[in-house]
Amino acid sequence: MDKVRSTKLKFKGDKTKKKRKREDDESGPSRVKHVDDEDEPETWVMPENMTEIRGPTFIVHPSDPSPISVNFDATRNRIILHPLDKDSLPLIDRVPTEISQVWVVTRVAGSPTINLRTGTGEGKFLSCDKHGIVSADREARGPEEEWTPVLLPDGMVAFQNVYENYLSVDEVAGGTLQLRGDSEEVGFRERFWVKIQNKYKKEAHEEKKKREAVTEATVIDEAGTNRTFQAWGAGRSIVSKDDKKELKRARKQGRLAEALLDRRSKLKSDRFC
């Protein structure tokens, strides 16, 4: 009997993850959830913040009567708004079924902006000019190829261009739909569902943890500071017993040195100082 082939969309470089077999003596929803929560790297998930939007990305608009995905036709070298097949699955549970539905997002270093590159063909960048015309025919990145994702309260995403206007789905003559980039406000036409691969979401979380670790490592060395600046205490490094939350607050406000000086002055044993 021929082995059934998986229809899950995979990309070059993705590693196959072996599934753990479920043990006979473990059962119940908690065990099932544990296995399912070990999401495979290529599992499609919703981003929870803007920094998670990276890597292969699936963009869908909840148009009526049929939702559409933002595709790129490599043969005709143009963007296509493709109606999705009617499915019993909720729209937010849909995943791409062909490579033309996938865009590759790269983040601009030191900036909240991103670039969207076609996942098929020669890798052209999604761009918008000052007239609001959206295209994907440029091989180089510039300001017009930069987009700022805006995560909305309901989990949907709006994309703002360099001209501070938003990407939208517009109906033109004959009922044809096309992308525009000249909307000044976010409404129904400017809201998209976005899905990313789980491994890139985890990557964003790891980067956040590293940044937080670096911040925590930069501790406030009150003892060392007092040892350097205080001329009393017989060589002993004396620190305040007051709550250090005030120091952390002062550091955020840019007045750490002043706060440390205040705490040192309160430690002096000479009441006439």
Side-chain angles (χ1 to χ4, degrees):
M1 183 175 178
D2 294 337
K3 186 178 179 180
V4 179
R5 296 181 61 186
S6 173
T7 58
K8 181 176 289 186
L9 189 63
K10 294 187 177 181
F11 299 90
K12 185 178 180 180
D14 285 349
K15 295 181 180 179
T16 302
K17 183 177 179 181
K18 294 182 179 179
K19 295 184 179 179
R20 294 170 57 186
K21 291 184 179 180
R22 182 172 172 178
E23 298 177 9
D24 294 334
D25 60 343
E26 293 187 42
S27 59
S30 60
R31 173 60 182 164
V32 174
K33 186 177 187 298
H34 176 70
V35 174
D36 290 343
D37 283 351
E38 293 179 352
D39 288 332
E40 295 184 2
E42 65 271 16
T43 300
W44 293 92
V45 295
M46 303 282 291
E48 296 177 359
N49 61 63
M50 294 182 297
T51 62
E52 294 176 359
I53 300 178
R54 59 179 70 191
T57 304
F58 181 44
I59 304 174
V60 178
H61 188 271
S63 299
D64 189 41
S66 175
I68 55 175
S69 62
V70 181
N71 294 17
F72 181 74
D73 187 335
T75 303
R76 291 182 287 176
N77 199 35
R78 57 182 293 187
I79 300 169
I80 301 293
L81 298 184
H82 181 69
L84 294 175
D85 295 334
K86 291 186 177 180
D87 199 317
S88 58
L89 284 174
L91 185 56
I92 60 174
D93 292 335
R94 301 289 187 92
V95 297
T97 55
E98 53 187 81
I99 194 65
S100 63
Q101 296 175 317
V102 177
W103 296 79
V104 180
V105 172
T106 53
R107 305 201 65 85
V108 178
S111 170
T113 59
I114 61 174
N115 298 124
L116 293 107
R117 179 170 54 83
T118 60
T120 183
E122 298 177 358
K124 305 294 181 64
F125 291 96
L126 185 71
S127 65
C128 180
D129 65 16
K130 62 182 180 181
H131 303 294
I133 298 175
V134 177
S135 60
D137 54 9
R138 300 180 183 179
E139 297 180 358
R141 290 176 284 188
E144 291 188 345
E145 286 70 50
E146 292 184 4
W147 299 86
T148 302
V150 180
L151 192 63
L152 303 172
D154 59 359
M156 299 186 77
V157 177
F159 295 93
Q160 188 179 48
N161 58 33
V162 69
Y163 301 106
E164 298 186 353
N165 291 324
Y166 294 93
L167 184 70
S168 66
V169 174
D170 189 35
E171 185 174 350
V172 295
T176 304
L177 299 177
Q178 68 175 17
L179 289 180
R180 292 284 303 177
D182 51 5
S183 294
E184 297 180 355
E185 297 180 352
V186 176
F188 176 76
R189 298 186 303 119
E190 293 74 30
R191 305 163 74 92
F192 298 86
W193 287 113
V194 171
K195 301 197 83 170
I196 57 173
Q197 286 191 319
N198 186 54
K199 64 180 178 181
Y200 293 97
K201 184 172 185 174
K202 289 184 176 179
E203 179 184 276
H205 287 181
E206 290 301 320
E207 288 181 1
K208 183 180 178 181
K209 287 181 181 179
K210 289 180 181 178
R211 288 195 300 269
E212 291 175 348
V214 170
T215 301
E216 288 298 324
T218 312
V219 296
I220 301 171
D221 186 9
E222 185 176 8
T225 304
N226 286 1
R227 187 181 300 110
T228 302
F229 293 104
Q230 75 183 26
W232 44 270
R236 291 177 293 116
S237 181
I238 305 172
V239 297
S240 173
K241 294 182 180 180
D242 293 343
D243 193 351
K244 288 192 175 183
K245 288 183 179 179
E246 176 61 31
L247 289 181
K248 293 181 179 179
R249 192 178 304 113
R251 179 168 60 180
K252 290 181 180 180
Q253 296 173 354
R255 54 179 188 84
L256 177 59
E258 179 185 346
L260 286 170
L261 178 59
D262 288 343
R263 289 164 70 93
R264 286 199 305 273
S265 65
K266 293 176 183 179
L267 290 173
K268 291 185 179 181
S269 58
D270 189 345
R271 62 181 177 178
F272 299 106
C273 289

